[in-house]
Amino acid sequence: MLTRRLRRRWRLLAPFCMAALLGGCLAIPQTGLFAFRLAVTSLGVEEVRIGPYAVDARLDTSDLMSLAMSSLGAGSLPLQATLAMGLGLPIGMPPVEMAGFRWTLDMPGVEPVSGDYDQDVTLTSGDDANLRLPVAFDLLGGGREQLAPMVELASQLARQGELPAGSELAITPGDLRGLGMTLPAGLLTPTIRLGVGEDGSLIPQG
C-alpha cells in the first residue's frame, strides 16, 4: 500500500521535478558561467552565401555589390548562412532528449526569420550538442534602397563569423524526455531568448 502511494505521488510530482531542472530554460553567456539550466553555450555564423556564390571574407563590399546588381532581374536573391549553435546542460543534470525546437532570428535592419529544427537533440551535461541551423533572407526583398545594407550585412557575417550586435535569437523547446517521463512542449518550458552584445557575447533576455 505504501509503495503504491509513493508511486502515485511520484507520478504527480515528476512533471514538476522535470520542470524544476529545465524550467529555467534560458541561456549562459559565452564566458561559460552556468547561469541557467538549458543553455546555449555558443553561437556563430558559417557558410555565408549570396545566391549560389560563397561569400569570401576577403572580398570587399564593392565586389559583392556587383554580384548583387547583376542579379537584380531575377526578382529575388537569397542571402544564406548557417548558425552554428551549442546546446548543453550544467554538470550533474541527467540526460534529456529534446524533440527539436522552434527558432526565430531577429537581426537589425532585417525582417525576422523563423524555422523548425525537427530532429531529436540529446542533451548531456558536460557534453554540448553542436547543431546547425540554416537561415535565409531575400537580398532584394526590401527593394534597391535596401540592397547596399544587405550586402554589407553579408560581408559582416562572413568577416566576423558571428551575428551583429543587437540581434536576438529565440528558441522554444519541443517535448522533453527524461527521468522516465515526457514533458510536453509548452508545459513549464518557456522560450529561450538571447541577445547579442557589442563584443559578440550572448545576453539572456527577460
Coordinates of all heavy atoms in Angstrom, one line a residue, residues 29-115:
P29 N 26.1 33.0 -21.0 CA 26.9 33.7 -21.8 C 28.1 32.9 -22.3 O 28.4 31.8 -21.8 CB 27.4 34.9 -20.9 CG 26.5 34.9 -19.8 CD 26.0 33.5 -19.6
Q30 N 28.8 33.3 -23.3 CA 29.9 32.6 -23.9 C 31.1 32.5 -22.9 O 32.0 31.8 -23.1 CB 30.4 33.2 -25.2 CG 29.4 32.9 -26.3 CD 29.9 33.7 -27.6 OE1 30.1 34.9 -27.5 NE2 29.9 33.0 -28.7
T31 N 31.0 33.3 -21.8 CA 32.1 33.2 -20.8 C 32.1 31.8 -20.1 O 33.0 31.5 -19.4 CB 31.8 34.3 -19.7 OG1 30.5 34.1 -19.1 CG2 31.9 35.7 -20.3
G32 N 31.0 31.1 -20.2 CA 30.9 29.7 -19.7 C 30.4 29.7 -18.3 O 30.3 28.6 -17.6
L33 N 29.9 30.8 -17.7 CA 29.3 30.8 -16.4 C 27.8 30.2 -16.5 O 27.0 30.8 -17.2 CB 29.2 32.2 -15.9 CG 30.6 32.9 -15.6 CD1 30.4 34.3 -15.2 CD2 31.4 32.1 -14.6
F34 N 27.6 29.1 -15.8 CA 26.3 28.5 -15.9 C 25.3 29.3 -15.1 O 25.2 29.1 -13.9 CB 26.4 27.0 -15.4 CG 26.9 26.1 -16.5 CD1 28.2 25.7 -16.5 CD2 26.0 25.7 -17.5 CE1 28.6 24.8 -17.4 CE2 26.5 24.9 -18.5 CZ 27.8 24.4 -18.5
A35 N 24.6 30.2 -15.7 CA 23.6 31.0 -15.0 C 22.2 30.3 -15.0 O 21.4 30.7 -14.2 CB 23.5 32.4 -15.6
F36 N 22.0 29.4 -16.0 CA 20.6 28.9 -16.2 C 20.7 27.4 -16.5 O 21.8 26.8 -16.5 CB 19.9 29.6 -17.3 CG 19.9 31.1 -17.1 CD1 20.8 31.9 -17.8 CD2 19.0 31.7 -16.3 CE1 20.9 33.3 -17.6 CE2 19.0 33.1 -16.1 CZ 19.9 33.9 -16.8
R37 N 19.6 26.7 -16.7 CA 19.5 25.3 -16.9 C 19.8 24.8 -18.3 O 20.9 24.3 -18.5 CB 18.2 24.8 -16.4 CG 17.9 25.1 -14.9 CD 19.0 24.4 -14.0 NE 18.7 24.6 -12.6 CZ 19.6 24.2 -11.6 NH1 20.7 23.6 -12.0 NH2 19.3 24.4 -10.4
L38 N 18.9 25.0 -19.2 CA 19.1 24.6 -20.6 C 19.9 25.8 -21.2 O 19.4 26.9 -21.2 CB 17.7 24.4 -21.3 CG 17.8 24.1 -22.8 CD1 18.6 22.8 -23.0 CD2 16.4 23.9 -23.3
A39 N 21.0 25.5 -21.7 CA 22.0 26.6 -22.1 C 22.4 26.6 -23.5 O 22.8 25.6 -24.1 CB 23.2 26.5 -21.2
V40 N 22.4 27.8 -24.1 CA 23.0 28.0 -25.4 C 24.5 28.4 -25.1 O 24.7 29.4 -24.5 CB 22.3 29.1 -26.2 CG1 23.1 29.4 -27.5 CG2 20.9 28.7 -26.5
T41 N 25.4 27.5 -25.4 CA 26.8 27.7 -25.0 C 27.6 28.4 -26.0 O 28.7 28.9 -25.7 CB 27.4 26.4 -24.6 OG1 27.3 25.5 -25.8 CG2 26.7 25.7 -23.5
S42 N 27.2 28.4 -27.3 CA 28.0 29.1 -28.3 C 27.0 29.4 -29.5 O 26.0 28.8 -29.7 CB 29.2 28.3 -28.8 OG 28.7 27.0 -29.3
L43 N 27.4 30.4 -30.3 CA 26.6 30.8 -31.4 C 27.5 31.5 -32.4 O 28.1 32.6 -32.1 CB 25.5 31.7 -31.0 CG 24.4 32.1 -32.0 CD1 23.7 30.8 -32.5 CD2 23.4 33.1 -31.4
G44 N 27.6 30.9 -33.6 CA 28.5 31.5 -34.6 C 27.8 31.4 -36.0 O 26.7 30.9 -36.1
V45 N 28.4 32.0 -37.0 CA 27.9 32.1 -38.3 C 28.9 31.4 -39.3 O 30.1 31.7 -39.3 CB 27.6 33.5 -38.8 CG1 27.1 33.5 -40.2 CG2 26.6 34.2 -37.9
E46 N 28.4 30.5 -40.1 CA 29.2 29.8 -41.1 C 28.6 29.8 -42.5 O 27.4 30.1 -42.6 CB 29.4 28.3 -40.7 CG 30.0 28.1 -39.3 CD 30.1 26.7 -38.9 OE1 29.3 25.9 -39.6 OE2 30.8 26.3 -38.0
E47 N 29.4 29.6 -43.5 CA 28.9 29.3 -44.9 C 27.9 30.4 -45.4 O 26.8 30.1 -45.8 CB 28.2 27.9 -44.9 CG 29.0 26.8 -44.5 CD 28.3 25.5 -44.4 OE1 27.0 25.5 -44.3 OE2 28.9 24.4 -44.4
V48 N 28.4 31.6 -45.4 CA 27.6 32.7 -45.9 C 27.6 32.7 -47.4 O 28.7 32.6 -48.0 CB 28.1 34.1 -45.4 CG1 27.2 35.2 -45.9 CG2 28.2 34.1 -43.8
R49 N 26.4 32.8 -48.0 CA 26.3 32.7 -49.5 C 25.3 33.8 -50.0 O 24.4 34.2 -49.3 CB 25.8 31.4 -49.9 CG 26.6 30.2 -49.4 CD 26.0 28.9 -49.9 NE 26.2 28.7 -51.4 CZ 27.3 28.2 -51.9 NH1 28.3 27.8 -51.1 NH2 27.4 28.1 -53.2
I50 N 25.6 34.3 -51.2 CA 24.6 35.2 -51.9 C 24.3 34.4 -53.1 O 25.1 34.2 -54.0 CB 25.2 36.5 -52.3 CG1 25.4 37.4 -51.0 CG2 24.3 37.3 -53.2 CD1 26.0 38.7 -51.3
G51 N 23.0 33.9 -53.2 CA 22.6 33.0 -54.3 C 23.5 31.8 -54.2 O 23.8 31.2 -53.2
P52 N 24.0 31.4 -55.4 CA 24.9 30.2 -55.4 C 26.4 30.5 -55.1 O 27.2 29.6 -55.1 CB 24.8 29.8 -56.9 CG 24.6 31.1 -57.6 CD 23.8 31.9 -56.7
Y53 N 26.7 31.7 -54.7 CA 28.1 32.1 -54.5 C 28.4 32.2 -53.1 O 27.8 32.9 -52.3 CB 28.4 33.4 -55.2 CG 28.0 33.5 -56.7 CD1 26.9 34.1 -57.1 CD2 28.8 32.8 -57.6 CE1 26.5 34.2 -58.4 CE2 28.5 32.9 -59.0 CZ 27.3 33.5 -59.4 OH 27.0 33.5 -60.7
A54 N 29.5 31.5 -52.7 CA 30.0 31.6 -51.3 C 30.6 33.0 -51.1 O 31.4 33.5 -52.0 CB 31.0 30.5 -51.0
V55 N 30.3 33.6 -50.0 CA 30.9 35.0 -49.7 C 32.3 34.8 -49.0 O 32.3 34.3 -47.9 CB 30.0 35.8 -48.8 CG1 30.6 37.1 -48.5 CG2 28.6 36.0 -49.5
D56 N 33.3 35.2 -49.7 CA 34.7 35.1 -49.2 C 34.9 36.4 -48.3 O 34.6 37.5 -48.7 CB 35.7 35.1 -50.3 CG 37.1 34.8 -49.9 OD1 37.5 35.3 -48.8 OD2 37.8 34.1 -50.6
A57 N 35.3 36.2 -47.1 CA 35.5 37.3 -46.1 C 36.5 38.3 -46.7 O 36.6 39.4 -46.2 CB 36.0 36.7 -44.8
R58 N 37.4 37.9 -47.7 CA 38.4 38.7 -48.2 C 37.8 39.7 -49.3 O 38.5 40.6 -49.7 CB 39.5 37.9 -48.8 CG 40.3 37.1 -47.7 CD 41.2 36.1 -48.3 NE 40.5 35.1 -49.1 CZ 41.0 34.1 -49.7 NH1 42.4 33.9 -49.7 NH2 40.3 33.2 -50.3
L59 N 36.6 39.4 -49.8 CA 36.0 40.3 -50.8 C 35.6 41.6 -50.2 O 35.1 41.6 -49.1 CB 34.8 39.6 -51.5 CG 35.1 38.4 -52.3 CD1 33.8 37.8 -52.8 CD2 36.0 38.7 -53.5
D60 N 35.8 42.7 -50.9 CA 35.2 43.9 -50.3 C 33.8 44.1 -50.8 O 33.3 43.4 -51.6 CB 36.1 45.1 -50.7 CG 36.2 45.3 -52.2 OD1 35.2 45.0 -52.9 OD2 37.2 45.8 -52.7
T61 N 33.1 45.1 -50.2 CA 31.7 45.3 -50.4 C 31.4 45.6 -51.9 O 30.3 45.2 -52.4 CB 31.2 46.4 -49.5 OG1 31.5 46.1 -48.2 CG2 29.7 46.5 -49.6
S62 N 32.3 46.3 -52.6 CA 32.0 46.6 -54.0 C 31.9 45.4 -54.8 O 31.1 45.3 -55.8 CB 33.1 47.6 -54.5 OG 34.4 47.0 -54.5
D63 N 32.8 44.4 -54.5 CA 32.7 43.1 -55.3 C 31.3 42.4 -55.1 O 30.7 41.9 -56.0 CB 33.8 42.1 -54.8 CG 35.2 42.6 -55.2 OD1 35.3 43.3 -56.2 OD2 36.1 42.4 -54.4
L64 N 30.8 42.5 -53.8 CA 29.6 41.8 -53.5 C 28.4 42.7 -54.2 O 27.4 42.1 -54.6 CB 29.4 41.8 -52.0 CG 30.3 40.8 -51.3 CD1 30.1 40.9 -49.8 CD2 30.2 39.4 -51.8
M65 N 28.5 44.0 -54.2 CA 27.5 44.8 -54.8 C 27.4 44.5 -56.3 O 26.3 44.4 -56.8 CB 27.8 46.3 -54.6 CG 27.3 46.8 -53.3 SD 25.5 46.8 -53.1 CE 25.0 47.9 -54.4
S66 N 28.5 44.3 -57.0 CA 28.5 44.0 -58.4 C 27.8 42.7 -58.6 O 27.0 42.5 -59.6 CB 29.9 43.9 -58.9 OG 30.6 45.1 -58.8
L67 N 28.0 41.7 -57.7 CA 27.4 40.4 -57.8 C 25.9 40.6 -57.7 O 25.1 40.0 -58.4 CB 27.9 39.5 -56.8 CG 27.3 38.1 -56.7 CD1 27.5 37.3 -58.0 CD2 27.9 37.3 -55.5
A68 N 25.5 41.4 -56.7 CA 24.0 41.5 -56.4 C 23.4 42.3 -57.5 O 22.3 42.0 -58.0 CB 23.9 42.3 -55.1
M69 N 24.0 43.4 -58.0 CA 23.4 44.2 -59.1 C 23.2 43.4 -60.4 O 22.2 43.5 -61.1 CB 24.3 45.4 -59.4 CG 24.4 46.4 -58.3 SD 22.8 47.3 -58.0 CE 22.7 48.3 -59.5
S70 N 24.1 42.4 -60.6 CA 23.9 41.6 -61.8 C 22.8 40.6 -61.7 O 22.3 40.0 -62.7 CB 25.2 40.8 -62.0 OG 25.4 39.8 -61.0
S71 N 22.2 40.5 -60.5 CA 21.1 39.6 -60.3 C 19.8 40.3 -60.1 O 18.8 39.6 -59.7 CB 21.4 38.7 -59.1 OG 22.6 38.0 -59.2
L72 N 19.7 41.6 -60.3 CA 18.5 42.4 -60.0 C 17.3 41.9 -60.8 O 16.2 41.9 -60.3 CB 18.8 43.9 -60.2 CG 19.5 44.6 -59.1 CD1 19.8 46.1 -59.6 CD2 18.7 44.6 -57.8
G73 N 17.5 41.4 -62.0 CA 16.4 41.0 -62.8 C 15.8 39.7 -62.4 O 14.8 39.3 -62.9
A74 N 16.5 39.0 -61.5 CA 16.0 37.7 -61.1 C 14.7 37.8 -60.1 O 14.0 36.8 -60.0 CB 17.1 36.9 -60.3
G75 N 14.5 39.0 -59.6 CA 13.3 39.2 -58.7 C 13.6 38.9 -57.3 O 13.0 39.5 -56.4
S76 N 14.5 37.9 -57.0 CA 14.9 37.6 -55.6 C 16.3 37.0 -55.6 O 16.7 36.5 -56.6 CB 13.9 36.5 -55.0 OG 14.0 35.3 -55.6
L77 N 17.0 37.2 -54.5 CA 18.3 36.7 -54.4 C 18.5 36.4 -52.9 O 18.6 37.3 -52.1 CB 19.3 37.8 -54.8 CG 20.8 37.4 -54.8 CD1 21.0 36.3 -55.8 CD2 21.7 38.6 -55.2
P78 N 18.7 35.1 -52.6 CA 18.8 34.7 -51.2 C 20.2 35.0 -50.6 O 21.2 34.7 -51.2 CB 18.5 33.2 -51.2 CG 18.9 32.8 -52.5 CD 18.6 33.9 -53.5
L79 N 20.2 35.6 -49.4 CA 21.3 35.7 -48.6 C 21.2 34.5 -47.6 O 20.3 34.5 -46.8 CB 21.4 37.0 -47.8 CG 22.4 37.1 -46.6 CD1 23.8 36.8 -47.1 CD2 22.3 38.5 -46.0
Q80 N 22.1 33.5 -47.6 CA 22.0 32.3 -46.8 C 23.2 32.2 -45.9 O 24.3 32.7 -46.2 CB 21.9 31.1 -47.7 CG 20.7 31.1 -48.7 CD 20.8 30.0 -49.7 OE1 21.8 30.0 -50.5 NE2 19.9 29.2 -49.8
A81 N 23.0 31.7 -44.7 CA 24.0 31.4 -43.8 C 23.6 30.3 -42.9 O 22.5 29.8 -42.9 CB 24.3 32.7 -42.9
T82 N 24.6 29.7 -42.2 CA 24.4 28.6 -41.2 C 24.7 29.1 -39.8 O 25.8 29.6 -39.6 CB 25.2 27.4 -41.6 OG1 24.8 27.0 -42.9 CG2 24.9 26.3 -40.6
L83 N 23.8 29.0 -38.9 CA 24.1 29.3 -37.5 C 24.6 28.0 -36.8 O 24.0 27.0 -36.9 CB 22.8 29.7 -36.8 CG 22.2 31.1 -37.1 CD1 21.0 31.3 -36.1 CD2 23.2 32.2 -37.0
A84 N 25.8 28.1 -36.3 CA 26.4 27.0 -35.6 C 26.2 27.3 -34.1 O 26.7 28.2 -33.5 CB 27.9 27.0 -35.8
M85 N 25.4 26.4 -33.5 CA 24.9 26.6 -32.1 C 25.3 25.4 -31.2 O 25.1 24.3 -31.6 CB 23.4 26.9 -32.1 CG 22.8 27.2 -30.7 SD 21.1 27.6 -30.9 CE 20.4 26.0 -31.4
G86 N 25.7 25.7 -30.0 CA 25.9 24.7 -29.0 C 24.8 24.7 -27.9 O 24.5 25.8 -27.4
L87 N 24.3 23.6 -27.6 CA 23.3 23.4 -26.5 C 23.8 22.5 -25.5 O 24.3 21.4 -25.8 CB 22.0 22.9 -27.1 CG 21.0 23.9 -27.7 CD1 19.7 23.1 -28.2 CD2 20.6 25.0 -26.8
G88 N 23.6 22.8 -24.2 CA 24.2 22.0 -23.2 C 23.4 22.1 -21.9 O 22.4 22.9 -21.8
L89 N 23.8 21.2 -20.9 CA 23.2 21.2 -19.6 C 24.3 21.4 -18.6 O 25.4 21.0 -18.8 CB 22.5 19.9 -19.3 CG 21.3 19.5 -20.2 CD1 20.8 18.1 -19.9 CD2 20.1 20.5 -20.0
P90 N 24.0 22.0 -17.4 CA 25.0 22.1 -16.3 C 25.5 20.7 -15.9 O 24.7 19.7 -16.0 CB 24.3 22.8 -15.2 CG 23.2 23.5 -15.9 CD 22.8 22.6 -17.0
I91 N 26.7 20.6 -15.4 CA 27.2 19.4 -14.8 C 26.3 18.8 -13.7 O 25.8 19.6 -12.9 CB 28.6 19.6 -14.2 CG1 29.6 20.1 -15.3 CG2 29.2 18.4 -13.6 CD1 29.8 19.1 -16.4
G92 N 26.1 17.5 -13.8 CA 25.3 16.9 -12.8 C 23.8 16.6 -13.1 O 23.2 15.9 -12.4
M93 N 23.4 17.3 -14.2 CA 22.0 17.1 -14.6 C 21.8 15.8 -15.4 O 22.8 15.4 -16.1 CB 21.5 18.3 -15.4 CG 21.2 19.5 -14.6 SD 20.4 20.8 -15.6 CE 18.8 20.0 -15.9
P94 N 20.7 15.1 -15.3 CA 20.5 13.9 -16.0 C 20.3 14.1 -17.5 O 19.9 15.2 -17.9 CB 19.3 13.3 -15.4 CG 18.5 14.4 -14.9 CD 19.6 15.4 -14.4
P95 N 20.7 13.2 -18.4 CA 20.5 13.4 -19.8 C 19.0 13.7 -20.2 O 18.1 13.2 -19.5 CB 20.9 12.1 -20.4 CG 21.8 11.4 -19.4 CD 21.2 11.9 -18.1
V96 N 18.8 14.5 -21.2 CA 17.4 14.9 -21.6 C 17.4 14.7 -23.1 O 18.3 15.1 -23.8 CB 17.1 16.3 -21.2 CG1 15.8 16.7 -21.8 CG2 17.0 16.4 -19.7
E97 N 16.3 14.2 -23.6 CA 16.1 14.1 -25.1 C 15.0 15.2 -25.4 O 13.9 15.2 -24.9 CB 15.6 12.7 -25.5 CG 15.5 12.5 -27.0 CD 16.9 12.0 -27.5 OE1 17.8 11.8 -26.7 OE2 17.0 12.0 -28.7
M98 N 15.4 16.1 -26.3 CA 14.5 17.2 -26.8 C 14.0 16.9 -28.2 O 14.9 16.7 -29.1 CB 15.2 18.5 -26.7 CG 14.3 19.7 -27.1 SD 15.0 21.3 -26.6 CE 16.5 21.3 -27.7
A99 N 12.7 16.9 -28.4 CA 12.1 16.6 -29.7 C 12.2 17.9 -30.5 O 11.1 18.5 -30.9 CB 10.7 16.1 -29.6
G100 N 13.4 18.3 -30.9 CA 13.5 19.5 -31.7 C 13.1 20.8 -31.0 O 12.8 20.8 -29.8
F101 N 13.0 21.9 -31.8 CA 12.6 23.2 -31.2 C 12.2 24.1 -32.4 O 12.5 23.9 -33.5 CB 13.7 23.8 -30.4 CG 15.0 23.9 -31.1 CD1 15.4 25.0 -31.9 CD2 16.0 22.9 -30.9 CE1 16.6 25.1 -32.5 CE2 17.2 22.9 -31.6 CZ 17.5 24.0 -32.4
R102 N 11.5 25.2 -32.0 CA 11.1 26.3 -32.9 C 12.1 27.4 -32.6 O 12.4 27.7 -31.5 CB 9.7 26.7 -32.6 CG 9.2 27.9 -33.4 CD 8.8 27.5 -34.8 NE 8.2 28.5 -35.6 CZ 8.1 28.5 -36.9 NH1 8.5 27.5 -37.6 NH2 7.5 29.5 -37.6
W103 N 12.6 28.1 -33.7 CA 13.5 29.2 -33.5 C 13.1 30.4 -34.3 O 12.4 30.3 -35.4 CB 14.9 28.8 -33.9 CG 15.1 28.3 -35.3 CD1 15.1 27.1 -35.8 CD2 15.4 29.2 -36.4 NE1 15.3 27.0 -37.1 CE2 15.5 28.3 -37.6 CE3 15.6 30.5 -36.6 CZ2 15.7 28.8 -38.8 CZ3 15.8 31.0 -37.9 CH2 15.9 30.2 -39.0
T104 N 13.5 31.6 -33.8 CA 13.2 32.8 -34.5 C 14.5 33.7 -34.4 O 15.0 33.8 -33.3 CB 12.0 33.6 -34.0 OG1 10.8 32.8 -34.1 CG2 11.8 34.9 -34.7
L105 N 14.9 34.2 -35.5 CA 16.1 35.1 -35.5 C 15.7 36.5 -36.0 O 15.1 36.7 -37.0 CB 17.2 34.5 -36.4 CG 18.5 35.4 -36.6 CD1 19.2 35.6 -35.3 CD2 19.4 34.8 -37.7
D106 N 16.1 37.5 -35.2 CA 15.8 38.9 -35.5 C 17.1 39.7 -35.5 O 17.8 39.8 -34.5 CB 14.8 39.5 -34.4 CG 14.3 40.8 -34.8 OD1 14.7 41.4 -35.9 OD2 13.5 41.4 -34.1
M107 N 17.5 40.2 -36.7 CA 18.7 40.9 -36.8 C 18.4 42.4 -37.2 O 17.4 42.6 -37.9 CB 19.7 40.3 -37.9 CG 20.3 39.0 -37.5 SD 21.7 38.5 -38.5 CE 20.9 38.4 -40.1
P108 N 19.2 43.4 -36.7 CA 18.9 44.8 -37.0 C 18.8 45.0 -38.5 O 19.7 44.6 -39.3 CB 20.1 45.5 -36.4 CG 20.6 44.6 -35.3 CD 20.4 43.2 -35.8
G109 N 17.7 45.7 -38.9 CA 17.6 46.1 -40.3 C 17.1 45.0 -41.2 O 17.0 45.2 -42.5
V110 N 16.7 43.8 -40.7 CA 16.3 42.7 -41.5 C 15.0 42.1 -40.9 O 14.8 42.1 -39.7 CB 17.3 41.6 -41.5 CG1 16.9 40.4 -42.4 CG2 18.7 42.1 -42.0
E111 N 14.0 41.7 -41.7 CA 12.8 41.1 -41.3 C 13.1 39.8 -40.5 O 14.0 39.1 -41.0 CB 11.9 40.8 -42.4 CG 11.2 42.0 -43.1 CD 10.3 42.8 -42.1 OE1 9.6 42.1 -41.4 OE2 10.3 44.0 -42.1
P112 N 12.5 39.6 -39.4 CA 12.8 38.3 -38.6 C 12.5 37.1 -39.5 O 11.6 37.1 -40.3 CB 11.8 38.4 -37.4 CG 11.5 39.9 -37.3 CD 11.5 40.4 -38.7
V113 N 13.3 36.0 -39.3 CA 13.0 34.8 -39.9 C 12.9 33.7 -38.9 O 13.4 33.8 -37.7 CB 14.2 34.4 -40.9 CG1 14.2 35.3 -42.1 CG2 15.5 34.4 -40.2
S114 N 12.2 32.6 -39.2 CA 12.0 31.6 -38.2 C 12.0 30.2 -38.9 O 11.9 30.1 -40.1 CB 10.7 31.8 -37.5 OG 9.6 31.8 -38.4
G115 N 12.1 29.2 -38.1 CA 12.1 27.8 -38.7 C 11.9 26.8 -37.6 O 11.8 27.1 -36.4

